[in-house]
Amino acid sequence: MGHFYVKCNSYAYTPQKIGGYIINIYFCLINNKSIMKKIEAIIRKSKFDDVKKALHQIGVNFFSYWDVTGVGNEKEGHVYRGISYSTSDIQRRYLSIVISDDFLETTVNTILDTAYSGNVGDGKIFVSEILEAYRIRTKESGKAGIN
């Protein structure tokens, strides 16, 4: 088992129980917080164009997206012209956005406001920390790598 060393300003320590063993995990924090965040949003396909336009209006000019199928909480099917359709498999659009930490609230609120319909199945938003980002063409890293 190898060791690695990271120079940073402070550490957060969390003991984790994995497979019956207590593992000590140290998280390196830069000025007590990360520099970048990753937003993963699963939204209705019908709301995608509105969300994309709203993101561009606030300055989010690059993100990735995929068509995905998920399983939701709705158990009943719908009947259309005498044919029953299952609604347990839900077609959605998955967005992946990496932004600077100080732009997180604006971006999340834009998605929340634009993707909202008030009905079951509007979607989910997940936020995680990104340790580093690189732009391959220029070899820039950090905030410069995502702007």
Side-chain angles (χ1 to χ4, degrees):
M1 181 178 289
H3 297 278
F4 65 92
Y5 299 93
V6 177
K7 181 181 178 186
C8 63
N9 298 335
S10 62
Y11 294 92
Y13 164 74
T14 305
Q16 300 286 324
K17 187 172 185 177
I18 300 174
Y21 297 97
I22 300 294
I23 307 295
N24 296 325
I25 299 175
Y26 291 89
F27 298 98
C28 177
L29 304 173
I30 300 171
N31 296 325
N32 294 325
K33 61 195 244 182
S34 72
I35 298 172
M36 296 168 284
K37 300 288 189 204
K38 180 178 184 181
I39 299 172
E40 297 170 290
I42 302 168
I43 63 171
R44 295 176 183 276
K45 279 185 165 185
S46 62
K47 292 288 191 171
F48 175 71
D49 288 333
D50 295 336
V51 170
K52 181 172 77 170
K53 183 178 178 181
L55 288 171
H56 285 300
Q57 287 175 347
I58 65 165
V60 176
N61 295 314
F62 177 82
F63 59 89
S64 299
Y65 65 90
W66 301 265
D67 289 332
V68 296
T69 302
V71 179
N73 291 328
E74 192 172 341
K75 303 295 183 216
E76 298 177 15
H78 291 285
V79 177
Y80 178 72
R81 294 188 178 182
I83 300 173
S84 179
Y85 293 93
S86 171
T87 56
S88 62
D89 295 332
I90 304 168
Q91 298 295 313
R92 293 288 181 256
R93 186 125 316 148
Y94 179 96
L95 289 77
S96 178
I97 308 165
V98 177
I99 55 166
S100 61
D101 197 40
D102 53 352
F103 204 54
L104 175 65
E105 188 174 337
T106 302
T107 306
V108 168
N109 286 335
T110 298
I111 297 169
L112 285 171
D113 293 341
T114 311
Y116 176 81
S117 74
N119 297 315
V120 173
D122 274 349
K124 303 271 191 248
I125 297 175
F126 306 98
V127 178
S128 56
E129 293 185 354
I130 297 294
L131 298 177
E132 190 60 83
Y134 296 91
R135 183 185 312 268
I136 295 172
R137 179 179 51 88
T138 61
K139 298 184 173 118
E140 295 171 300
S141 63
K143 285 185 181 182
I146 60 172
N147 292 331

